[in-house]
Amino acid sequence: MKTHTESEENYIKALYHLGGEQPVSNGDLAQRVGAKGSSVTQAVKRLGQKDLVNVVPYKGVQLTPKGIRLAKSILRKHRLWETFLVDKLGFGWDEVHPLAEQLEHIQSEELVDRLFQFLGSPKHDPHGDPIPERDGQMPPVLGQPIGAFTAGAEIRIVRVEDAGSEFFDQLDTMNINLGNTYEIRTISAFDASVELGSPTGSFWLSQSMCANIYAVQS
Amino acid sequence: MKTHTESEENYIKALYHLGGEQPVSNGDLAQRVGAKGSSVTQAVKRLGQKDLVNVVPYKGVQLTPKGIRLAKSILRKHRLWETFLVDKLGFGWDEVHPLAEQLEHIQSEELVDRLFQFLGSPKHDPHGDPIPERDGQMPPVLGQPIGAFTAGAEIRIVRVEDAGSEFFDQLDTMNINLGNTYEIRTISAFDASVELGSPTGSFWLSQSMCANIYAVQS
DNA sequence: CTTTTATTTTAGGCAAAGCTAAAAATTATC
DNA sequence: GATAATTTTTAGCTTTGCCTAAAATAAAAG
Ligand SMILES: [Mn+2]
Ligand SMILES: [Mn+2]
Ligand SMILES: [Mn+2]
Ligand SMILES: [Mn+2]
């Protein structure tokens, strides 16, 4: 049960985010971790020696099974900490990501298990993203983009994509939260914007807002 | 509000632990951080450049006011996290120190403030050690060693020194916890061991156990 | 199928943090 | 006060992780 540096873990996380189990290009990885390509070449060489990735020069980098396991365990910690910060400490869902990026590197199986219990064995984090299970299984990725429903449908918001702080601000000012339910009133044939109705009135959501908000029929 | 590396923070913490505001020798510091003297010489030079310590070659290293502020803020985080781990996650008080050594390096004022509130604004950690206030003030260091009381006194355990895991195991098997109250029955003139009485019976504590257990009259 | 463009790797540096071994300074001893 | 023992510093090396600039390779365009 070796231990990894923060940098290593960030590369693994980036690889999982970009490609999942598929190979990722040097350039994309460099962009994601915020380093230069040359640094990435070196870094993945180190990861390769630890059997966390397979590197094919000029072709791409791919997580090994071991790398995937590590990626999921970091993601699990990230999302559990986000849940803690929102549910227990009262942070806004737009504030917790940078903090979770620090907390996700704390190493202790025991701590993760206890945190998980303390939070009531959650399956999804404050943004609706699935929290990997202890054994690596992934709960379902919930919902479809709002635009995918048809007029008349009753929907419940179950997930939002992290589309930056302005997006979260907009959700905030419109009072849109996970769990909210609406009726789909209209879907514009012109610009794909959507009119949502609730007991208290109705309002329009732009196409780009809709694209980042996921819901299920309720 | 610059940010510090984990190594830097560990040196600062070690300096505060060893000398408080007083100078500390290279050797003592090396021993405490688990590095060689030569590494320490280098490290404190770097800390000096950041105005966290004053170095007098061959003489010793001393925290600056800025260094003291940092030391206290790390200690605050350490002890708040220990409180969280014990009070909220149900860890034993003998298990939390290594975890807190990781968590103490998480950087976020906001997180510390919210954690503090969440825990009910505690003044002391699970071992009875004072938690520095937001502004650097220190709550009182509680209690006197058990041997300092006189026979007949009613006492309450308020603090234990971290004297290693065997010490904690011993406390555990003897069922001794913070908050417990006893009567001092006897203090041996021969070996300074102490007989404590409780409603359920009485038992003897060796001198070296007593030296690490602090109590107040109750 | 060349040539141009874009991507990736190499080569060479730098800073943080550690190490060992040798030199220098301090402290203790006779 | 000179010498021996201890402590501290210097010098030189290592690894991680990042950088820039140049060389090599792959992909796109003609
Ligand atoms: Mn996140
Ligand atoms: Mn991270
Ligand atoms: Mn502790
Ligand atoms: Mn530490």
Side-chain angles (χ1 to χ4, degrees):
Chain A
M1 197 117 298
K2 227 205 277 58
T3 175
H4 314 93
T5 68
E6 214 158 302
S7 169
E8 277 173 357
E9 293 195 346
N10 284 338
Y11 276 98
I12 295 297
K13 214 176 35 138
L15 281 167
Y16 188 76
H17 182 264
L18 291 171
E21 328 222 340
Q22 268 13 85
V24 170
S25 79
N26 190 292
D28 289 353
L29 186 50
Q31 164 134 60
R32 176 83 190 170
V33 300
K36 293 303 162 74
S38 51
S39 306
V40 169
T41 305
Q42 264 195 139
V44 296
K45 208 171 290 173
R46 286 193 301 266
L47 293 175
Q49 258 142 19
K50 302 197 175 184
D51 212 33
L52 292 165
V53 300
N54 289 315
V55 188
V56 183
Y58 288 104
K59 283 291 150 186
V61 200
Q62 191 173 18
L63 289 169
T64 61
K66 193 174 154 191
I68 290 164
R69 269 201 308 283
L70 176 55
K72 283 179 173 168
S73 103
I74 300 168
L75 201 56
R76 174 171 167 82
K77 288 187 279 181
H78 181 103
R79 291 180 176 166
L80 283 175
W81 280 116
E82 284 189 343
T83 306
F84 168 72
L85 294 170
V86 170
D87 288 6
K88 300 295 182 180
L89 296 194
F91 276 96
W93 64 354
D94 55 327
E95 308 177 299
V96 295
H97 186 77
L99 264 170
E101 297 245 304
Q102 294 185 61
L103 288 161
E104 72 194 359
H105 302 294
I106 302 289
Q107 320 220 251
S108 164
E109 294 270 334
E110 173 92 10
L111 173 54
V112 177
D113 290 344
R114 283 183 185 264
L115 193 58
F116 178 67
Q117 256 210 68
F118 181 59
L119 298 172
S121 309
K123 294 233 178 313
H124 296 86
D125 79 3
H127 314 100
D129 290 312
I131 299 173
E133 317 256 353
R134 221 177 171 285
D135 62 10
Q137 263 193 244
M138 292 292 280
V141 176
L142 300 174
Q144 305 175 267
I146 284 185
F149 294 89
T150 51
E154 290 286 337
I155 61 163
R156 194 179 73 250
I157 310 293
V158 293
R159 185 163 59 94
V160 298
E161 215 114 282
D162 187 342
S165 63
E166 291 86 353
F167 171 63
F168 280 111
D169 288 349
Q170 186 65 23
L171 289 176
D172 223 37
T173 45
M174 293 182 130
N175 223 37
I176 297 175
N177 285 295
L178 285 209
N180 288 8
T181 58
Y182 305 98
E183 178 205 351
I184 305 243
R185 289 261 168 83
T186 324
I187 300 192
S188 161
F190 172 61
D191 66 356
S193 62
V194 173
E195 187 189 19
L196 292 185
S198 75
T200 67
S202 86
F203 59 98
W204 285 86
L205 273 182
S206 73
Q207 194 264 324
S208 48
M209 285 296 289
C210 289
N212 294 302
I213 305 176
Y214 293 73
V216 293
Q217 207 119 13
S218 72
Chain B
M1 197 117 300
K2 228 207 272 59
T3 175
H4 315 92
T5 67
E6 214 158 303
S7 168
E8 277 172 359
E9 293 195 347
N10 285 339
Y11 276 98
I12 295 296
K13 217 180 28 140
L15 281 166
Y16 188 74
H17 182 265
L18 291 172
E21 329 219 339
Q22 265 16 80
V24 171
S25 79
N26 191 292
D28 289 353
L29 186 49
Q31 164 135 61
R32 176 84 191 172
V33 300
K36 292 302 161 75
S38 52
S39 306
V40 169
T41 305
Q42 264 196 137
V44 297
K45 209 172 287 173
R46 286 193 300 268
L47 294 175
Q49 255 140 23
K50 301 198 175 183
D51 212 32
L52 291 166
V53 300
N54 289 316
V55 188
V56 182
Y58 289 103
K59 284 291 151 187
V61 199
Q62 190 171 19
L63 290 168
T64 60
K66 192 175 155 190
I68 290 164
R69 271 200 306 282
L70 176 56
K72 283 180 174 169
S73 104
I74 300 168
L75 201 56
R76 174 171 168 82
K77 288 188 279 182
H78 182 102
R79 291 179 176 167
L80 283 175
W81 280 117
E82 285 189 343
T83 306
F84 167 72
L85 294 170
V86 170
D87 287 6
K88 300 295 181 180
L89 296 194
F91 276 94
W93 65 353
D94 56 328
E95 307 177 299
V96 295
H97 186 78
L99 265 170
E101 297 246 304
Q102 293 185 63
L103 288 160
E104 73 193 358
H105 302 293
I106 302 289
Q107 320 220 254
S108 164
E109 294 269 335
E110 174 91 10
L111 174 55
V112 176
D113 289 344
R114 284 184 185 264
L115 193 59
F116 178 68
Q117 255 210 64
F118 182 59
L119 298 172
S121 309
K123 295 234 179 310
H124 297 86
D125 79 4
H127 314 99
D129 291 312
I131 299 173
E133 318 255 350
R134 224 180 168 281
D135 62 10
Q137 262 192 243
M138 291 293 278
V141 177
L142 299 176
Q144 303 174 268
I146 283 186
F149 293 90
T150 50
E154 290 287 335
I155 60 162
R156 195 177 72 249
I157 310 293
V158 294
R159 185 163 60 94
V160 299
E161 215 115 282
D162 187 343
S165 62
E166 291 86 354
F167 172 61
F168 281 111
D169 288 349
Q170 186 64 24
L171 289 177
D172 224 37
T173 44
M174 294 183 130
N175 223 38
I176 297 175
N177 284 294
L178 286 210
N180 287 9
T181 57
Y182 304 99
E183 179 205 351
I184 305 243
R185 290 261 168 84
T186 324
I187 301 192
S188 160
F190 171 60
D191 65 358
S193 62
V194 173
E195 186 189 21
L196 293 184
S198 75
T200 68
S202 85
F203 59 98
W204 285 86
L205 274 181
S206 74
Q207 196 262 326
S208 47
M209 286 296 288
C210 289
N212 293 301
I213 306 176
Y214 294 73
V216 293
Q217 207 119 14
S218 71

